Amino acid sequence: MLAIAQSAVLVGIASFPVRVEVQAERGIPTFELVGLAEAAVRESRVRVKSALAGVGVDISECRVTVNLAPADVKKSGSSFDLAIALGTLVALGVIPEESIANVLLLGELSLNGGTQSLRGVVAHLLGAKERGVVRAIVPRANEREASLVDGVEVELASTLGEIVDALRGQAPLRRPRAQKASAPASPLDDLADVRGQYGARRALEIAASGSHNLLMVGPPGAGKTMLARRLAGILPRLSREEALEVIAIHGVAGLLSPSASLAVERPFRAPHHTASDVALVGGGEHSRPGEVSLAHHGVLFLDELSELRRPALEALRQPLEDGFVTVCRMRLTVTFPARPMLVGATNPCACGNYGDGTNRCGCSPDAVRQYRRRLSGPLLDRLDLHVVLPRVDLLELQSGAGGESSAAVRARVERARAAQRARFRAGEVSAQANAHLSQRDVERVCALEAKGKEVLAQAVERRGLSARAYGKVLRLARTIADMDGATAIGARHVTEAVLGRVLDRDPTNGRPAETAA
Ligand SMILES: Nc1ncnc2c1ncn2[C@@H]1O[C@H](COP(=O)(O)OP(=O)(O)O)[C@@H](O)[C@H]1O
Ligand SMILES: [Mg+2]
């Protein structure tokens, strides 16, 4: 008879349903697998045959045909084993047909019938829930991930034998135990360790409050890396939905340890400046998410930004604009979410001493401009807020007086975010933070006081702000006003926002920089 089992394949972080049709009967021994299956899927035949023998079912005298539908979706991976094996058992009348009806079956089998953990369980279960699938059987090794999604009744199995027993109504399978969301194993670094750098601290807080991309410029040793690493500790904790999305992406990338639980802190990714385009934006042979997606809902920190190769900068441009990455591979188009906060750090010039007040910089004005130009164009344009860090004063470093703690700053950031959410709800805007407002929405929801309008008009005139830069100043000013608890944007909010775009000017002469947006 023809049996039908439900499985799924990952396309990006979307779980796409796959119907596994199995025809099995006594006959000339063959085992055919059709339906655009990659090599790893075809090897399933060997594993399934051996695993079935383990539960006492010999298919060496059977004619088995398996079709994976729909036929136009490429099937990769080894997680169809379970569905193929159980479909065969139904087709041979070993287990009842209705026992696997509308049950999502996922998992690779080993030759002795054991189930092997698979990638992307959270993504699969979220997809199943969306499709209205109410039951799923997954490998026992995926228990932690399986426990995170509610709305689907998940059962765990260590072996094919256990499943057969359960489906015949003998011993039921175990349900995943609920896991608690956990704080990171090692506590996050605290802002209290940073001495001085008040301007940069303020910029970091503004950036966090409105999810603005930030560029830090300063001499080596000023604390740029140190500050960036403390950003996750002042951003609001992940909501449950955000955490699930993050874990789905990391699961698809195969980056979750078996002990992974729902994270509360935002991801912080700091790829090296030599990272390839594929490593940064994703794609490649297995269509895995890149750093920009792994940092989704968190921070993508690009240290030594001026050293990043041009193609990498170019590749990041579109995702940062759209909030997602589309990678095409053969006939498959895969989309990954990609909305991190981008933080860049760079020296001000090749020697690193330009503008630190010590006159030690030996770079010519042209060389400084040249160095700055490397940043401009594709990326500088996407960095809303720029801050210049002075060299840290030795006295300040030794004085021992630390700054405010991350917890205190986070409390303020959360308040500013709450004000934004309330405004977005009232204005029926779908953004999460000011930085993500569209050009249209920014005009609509960012009301200016008369004085604020005046200052902004002056800035446009004097600094020659482009339309894009204008929008950025307005979003920044909105965030600064939110930190202030103000309903309308005032003059001082606009002034600080304009000052926060220092790189719109040529560093060597203070005129509007020709290369910036
Ligand atoms: N503002 C600061 N407060 C305290 N320590 C600092 C500060 N700036 C730098 N340091 C010390 O110097 C080290 C190097 O700083 P780092 O953040 O790597 O500088 P940068 O990235 O600007 O080159 C840090 O690990 C820290 O020990
Ligand atoms: Mg550094």
Side-chain angles (χ1 to χ4, degrees):
M1 71 173 277
L2 179 72
I4 295 181
Q6 307 296 331
S7 195
V9 65
L10 287 173
V11 181
I13 64 157
S15 170
F16 199 86
V18 171
R19 202 172 63 246
V20 179
E21 303 169 347
V22 186
Q23 180 87 59
E25 61 215 353
R26 302 251 150 230
I28 304 164
T30 50
F31 196 150
E32 265 196 285
L33 207 156
V34 296
L36 211 62
E38 287 187 347
V41 182
R42 291 198 300 272
E43 284 169 7
S44 183
R45 292 176 298 188
V46 181
R47 296 186 297 267
V48 167
K49 194 170 170 184
S50 169
L52 286 174
V55 293
V57 176
D58 181 8
I59 57 166
S60 60
E61 278 171 25
C62 291
R63 195 187 139 88
V64 181
T65 312
V66 176
N67 179 35
L68 304 178
D72 59 349
V73 175
K74 204 165 186 72
K75 323 294 186 312
S76 56
S78 45
S79 59
F80 301 112
D81 289 4
L82 212 53
I84 296 173
L86 291 168
T88 308
L89 291 174
V90 169
L92 293 173
V94 180
I95 54 173
E97 186 178 9
E98 61 283 1
S99 69
I100 61 164
N102 211 14
V103 182
L104 176 65
L105 303 168
L106 294 169
E108 177 186 329
L109 290 168
S110 58
L111 294 178
N112 64 7
T115 60
Q116 310 279 321
S117 82
L118 76 145
R119 249 177 347 107
V121 169
V122 167
H124 274 305
L125 293 177
L126 288 174
K129 184 174 162 183
E130 229 164 74
R131 298 196 297 276
V133 174
V134 291
R135 233 182 115 196
I137 301 179
V138 306
R140 173 82 174 267
N142 292 107
E143 170 165 11
R144 272 184 177 259
E145 276 179 85
S147 71
L148 302 176
V149 181
D150 42 37
V152 182
E153 237 177 82
V154 185
E155 289 161 80
L156 305 167
S158 315
T159 63
L160 182 62
E162 276 179 21
I163 304 176
V164 172
D165 288 348
L167 295 181
R168 279 167 157 171
Q170 293 158 16
L173 292 170
R174 200 160 76 62
R175 305 286 310 276
R177 275 189 274 269
Q179 315 282 326
K180 279 216 298 260
S182 68
S186 52
L188 297 177
D189 292 328
D190 203 285
L191 264 184
D193 309 335
V194 180
R195 317 216 184 284
Q197 299 301 13
Y198 301 105
R201 291 179 71 110
R202 170 78 181 162
L204 206 65
E205 184 173 338
I206 296 173
S209 296
S211 197
H212 299 282
N213 295 336
L214 170 71
L215 176 65
M216 291 188 276
V217 186
K224 302 182 294 294
T225 305
M226 193 180 179
L227 280 155
R229 293 202 170 277
R230 281 154 179 79
L231 192 52
I234 64 167
L235 284 167
R237 295 207 162 88
L238 289 167
S239 69
R240 192 181 156 80
E241 283 67 40
E242 288 172 333
L244 274 176
E245 210 177 340
V246 168
I247 208 164
I249 297 169
H250 287 239
V252 167
L255 290 180
L256 293 180
S257 68
S259 63
S261 57
L262 213 51
V264 289
E265 302 296 357
R266 290 175 187 265
F268 179 89
R269 305 288 306 184
H272 193 253
H273 61 75
T274 55
S276 69
D277 324 349
V278 167
L280 288 174
V281 300
E285 202 193 335
H286 296 289
S287 304
R288 299 279 168 94
E291 291 292 338
V292 69
S293 295
L294 294 171
H296 183 59
H297 289 317
V299 180
L300 178 65
F301 177 45
L302 298 177
D303 211 350
E304 316 296 346
L305 191 59
S306 328
E307 306 294 327
L308 213 66
R309 288 167 313 106
R310 195 80 189 185
L313 286 175
E314 296 281 349
L316 279 171
R317 184 192 172 108
Q318 204 56 46
L320 291 172
E321 192 68 22
D322 298 339
F324 58 86
V325 178
T326 307
V327 283
C328 296
R329 186 180 152 244
M330 306 181 74
R331 292 196 278 154
L332 211 64
T333 305
V334 176
T335 302
F336 295 114
R339 178 145 277 157
M341 236 182 104
L342 176 66
V343 179
T346 180
N347 289 345
C349 63
C351 78
N353 297 320
Y354 183 82
D356 74 347
T358 62
N359 283 327
R360 276 187 303 177
C361 175
C363 305
S364 69
D366 259 350
V368 175
R369 248 176 256 139
Q370 190 67 39
Y371 191 82
R372 189 63 60 82
R373 214 166 280 146
R374 277 202 233 159
L375 289 180
S376 62
L379 220 52
L380 189 55
D381 209 33
R382 270 135 192 99
L383 295 162
D384 307 2
L385 183 60
H386 318 148
V387 63
V388 177
L389 287 83
R391 195 169 285 287
V392 234
D393 187 347
L394 205 59
L395 273 179
E396 236 163 10
L397 263 188
Q398 291 165 343
S399 75
E404 236 183 332
S405 72
S406 293
V409 179
R410 177 180 264 169
R412 285 197 300 268
V413 168
E414 305 231 6
R415 270 203 298 283
R417 290 279 184 121
Q420 291 164 53
R421 281 195 301 272
R423 181 177 319 106
F424 298 156
R425 262 199 308 278
E428 290 175 13
V429 169
S430 66
Q432 294 289 317
N434 289 331
H436 307 148
L437 285 170
S438 69
Q439 194 71 26
R440 201 176 58 93
D441 288 338
V442 81
E443 308 267 356
R444 216 157 58 80
V445 300
C446 297
L448 287 143
E449 281 174 8
K451 269 268 162 29
K453 253 185 207 151
E454 221 170 88
V455 177
L456 192 54
Q458 277 168 12
V460 169
E461 184 165 322
R462 286 209 203 120
R463 299 198 166 222
L465 292 188
S466 66
R468 184 192 276 276
Y470 173 86
K472 293 216 178 287
V473 168
L474 199 52
R475 291 182 188 92
L476 266 181
R478 183 59 265 173
T479 298
I480 295 165
D482 282 329
M483 295 166 74
D484 215 7
T487 4
I489 304 167
R492 66 176 188 285
H493 306 133
V494 176
T495 305
E496 190 175 4
V498 172
L499 287 175
R501 294 199 49 92
V502 283
L503 298 198
D504 288 343
R505 327 207 101 199
D506 184 323
T508 59
N509 56 26
R511 283 202 292 271
E514 85 263 35
T515 47

Coordinates of all heavy atoms in Angstrom, one line a residue, residues 220-221 223-226 301 303-304 345 347, ligand 2:
P220 N 44.7 53.8 19.0 CA 44.8 52.4 19.6 C 44.8 52.6 21.1 O 45.5 53.5 21.6 CB 46.1 51.9 19.0 CG 46.5 52.7 17.8 CD 45.8 54.0 18.0
G221 N 44.1 51.7 21.7 CA 44.2 51.7 23.2 C 43.3 52.7 23.9 O 43.3 52.8 25.1
G223 N 40.1 52.4 24.0 CA 39.0 51.6 24.6 C 37.8 51.3 23.7 O 36.7 51.0 24.1
K224 N 38.1 51.4 22.4 CA 37.0 51.2 21.4 C 36.4 49.8 21.5 O 35.2 49.5 21.6 CB 37.5 51.4 20.0 CG 38.0 52.8 19.8 CD 38.4 53.1 18.3 CE 39.6 52.2 17.9 NZ 40.9 52.6 18.6
T225 N 37.4 48.8 21.5 CA 37.0 47.4 21.5 C 36.3 47.1 22.9 O 35.3 46.4 23.0 CB 38.2 46.5 21.3 OG1 38.8 46.9 20.1 CG2 37.8 45.0 21.3
M226 N 36.9 47.7 23.9 CA 36.4 47.5 25.3 C 34.9 47.9 25.4 O 34.1 47.3 25.9 CB 37.3 48.3 26.2 CG 37.1 48.0 27.6 SD 38.3 49.1 28.6 CE 37.8 48.5 30.2
F301 N 29.9 43.5 15.5 CA 31.0 44.5 15.7 C 32.1 44.3 14.7 O 32.7 43.2 14.6 CB 31.5 44.2 17.1 CG 32.7 45.1 17.5 CD1 32.7 46.4 17.2 CD2 33.8 44.5 18.1 CE1 33.8 47.2 17.5 CE2 34.9 45.3 18.4 CZ 34.9 46.7 18.1
D303 N 35.6 45.4 14.0 CA 36.7 46.1 14.6 C 37.7 46.4 13.4 O 37.6 45.6 12.4 CB 37.4 45.2 15.6 CG 38.1 46.0 16.7 OD1 38.2 47.3 16.5 OD2 38.5 45.4 17.7
E304 N 38.5 47.4 13.5 CA 39.4 47.7 12.4 C 38.7 47.8 11.1 O 39.0 47.2 10.1 CB 40.6 46.7 12.3 CG 41.2 46.2 13.6 CD 41.9 47.3 14.3 OE1 42.2 48.4 13.7 OE2 42.2 47.2 15.5
A345 N 34.7 50.1 14.5 CA 35.7 50.8 15.2 C 36.9 51.0 14.3 O 37.2 50.1 13.5 CB 36.2 50.1 16.5
N347 N 40.9 53.3 13.6 CA 41.8 54.4 13.9 C 41.5 55.6 13.1 O 40.9 55.4 12.0 CB 43.2 53.9 13.6 CG 43.7 52.9 14.5 OD1 43.2 52.6 15.6 ND2 44.8 52.2 14.1
Ligands
MG2 MG 40.6 47.6 19.3

